[in-house]
Amino acid sequence: MPQLKVNGAELYYEVCGGGPPVLLIMGFTGDAGHFETLAGALASEFTVISYDRRGNGRSPRPPGWAATRPEEQADDAAALLAALGLSPAAVFGTSAGANFALCLLIRHPETVSGAVLHETALVKLFDDPGARGAVSELVQEAMGTGGTPAALEALWRYVAGDPNWERLQPALRARMQSSAETFFGVELGSYEGFLPDNKTLAAIAVPVMVLVSEESHAVYAQAAGRLAHRLGVEVTRTPGTHTAYHDHPHELAQTIRPFLRRCAASGGDHGTAPSGLATEP
């Protein structure tokens, strides 16, 4: 099982394909297994790197690790790319993984040639705090009856839909539930407050795609629109739910492929910051 020790954590990783490097960063549950089909669809043109984030799936929980931050997650990603000799890379991050990808852009710009931010979990840009309360109630009810594995299932069914839970490979589902304590005990509450200011966003000098799924929850479209406005880019849409990498992986690959080519052509040129950054709505 391929693992590297980087930034104080042992990370399971997978590499497939050939060509310019693309790093995939998972959010909730942190398991590279979610990207199996997407990685395969991109591998004909790109070297695709996926990994289980620390304490998730096949990456063990570091001794004494009880808290995390987007900066730590970004450091892990940067260290993995450096150890593999695959930097700079284009980065695809989804949900909380998009938060970590954005943090990687800011914290380690030399490692990134561009980024796709899919369904960012920038909670400060959400409109409806009441919806978060309803989700918390759903999770707490499941937690009371079946502990963290049941709570994880309830949350996944909410954000991804019942069909996307049912179609998960049994081994992946088992890893997700066995790592549930990482999400509820360590990660939850660590990333929701992350929101770079406009000056920091203006300093990003590589291409950024802000991507939402057409059948996802409204809060993700709200966050995407507001982030895109701050970055001075348009929102791009792709078929599927919050977990489009499961229900529409080939369409997702088709959506992001031209952008990844653009990142490869830019070669990670960090010399000129984008102009025309919009003011906050």
Side-chain angles (χ1 to χ4, degrees), residues 12 25-35 51-59 65 73 94-97 100 148-149 151-157 159-160 164-165 168-169 171-184 187-188 191 242-243 245-246:
Y12 169 87
I25 304 180
M26 184 59 192
F28 173 45
T29 78
D31 196 296
H34 293 289
F35 295 134
Y51 68 106
D52 293 356
R53 293 190 295 99
R54 61 168 60 206
N56 289 283
R58 294 149 292 191
S59 293
W65 183 63
Q73 298 289 332
T94 183
S95 195
F100 305 148
T148 55
L152 183 140
E153 177 179 344
L155 184 54
W156 185 269
R157 286 182 182 273
V159 299
N164 278 334
W165 174 262
L168 290 170
Q169 293 292 327
L172 173 58
R173 188 188 297 119
R175 290 197 304 270
M176 291 165 60
Q177 292 188 302
S178 68
S179 301
E181 181 56 36
T182 292
F183 177 74
F184 290 109
E187 295 180 352
L188 190 62
Y191 61 85
H242 187 61
T243 57
Y245 43 85
H246 278 302

Side-chain angles (χ1 to χ4, degrees), residues 101-151:
L102 180 57
C103 189
L104 178 65
L105 275 174
I106 294 164
R107 191 169 172 85
H108 299 282
E110 73 286 352
T111 69
V112 184
S113 60
V116 179
L117 307 178
H118 175 243
E119 299 268 299
T120 54
L122 295 172
V123 175
K124 284 190 172 182
L125 297 180
F126 288 1
D127 256 353
D128 185 4
R132 293 183 63 203
V135 174
S136 296
E137 185 176 340
L138 176 74
V139 168
Q140 288 302 321
E141 182 179 350
M143 188 84 71
T145 58
T148 55

Side-chain angles (χ1 to χ4, degrees), residues 28 88 97 147 161 194 212 214 217 230:
F28 173 45
F194 177 70
V212 294
E214 293 172 343
H217 296 279
R230 287 158 168 77

Side-chain angles (χ1 to χ4, degrees), residues 205-232:
V206 296
V208 178
M209 172 187 277
V210 177
L211 182 64
V212 294
S213 295
E214 293 172 343
E215 302 168 39
S216 191
H217 296 279
V219 290
Y220 296 108
Q222 293 163 1
R226 289 161 183 167
L227 176 62
H229 184 80
R230 287 158 168 77
L231 289 168

Side-chain angles (χ1 to χ4, degrees), residues 3 7 14 22 26 28 32 47 60 85 89 109 120 132 144 149 173-174 188 241 243 249-250 261 266:
Q3 283 186 318
N7 195 35
E14 297 178 354
V22 176
M26 184 59 192
F28 173 45
T47 299
T120 54
R132 293 183 63 203
R173 188 188 297 119
L188 190 62
T241 69
T243 57
H250 296 286
R261 289 172 180 158
S266 75

Side-chain angles (χ1 to χ4, degrees), residues 194-208:
F194 177 70
L195 182 63
D197 60 30
N198 278 2
K199 181 179 178 180
T200 301
L201 293 174
I204 295 173
V206 296
V208 178

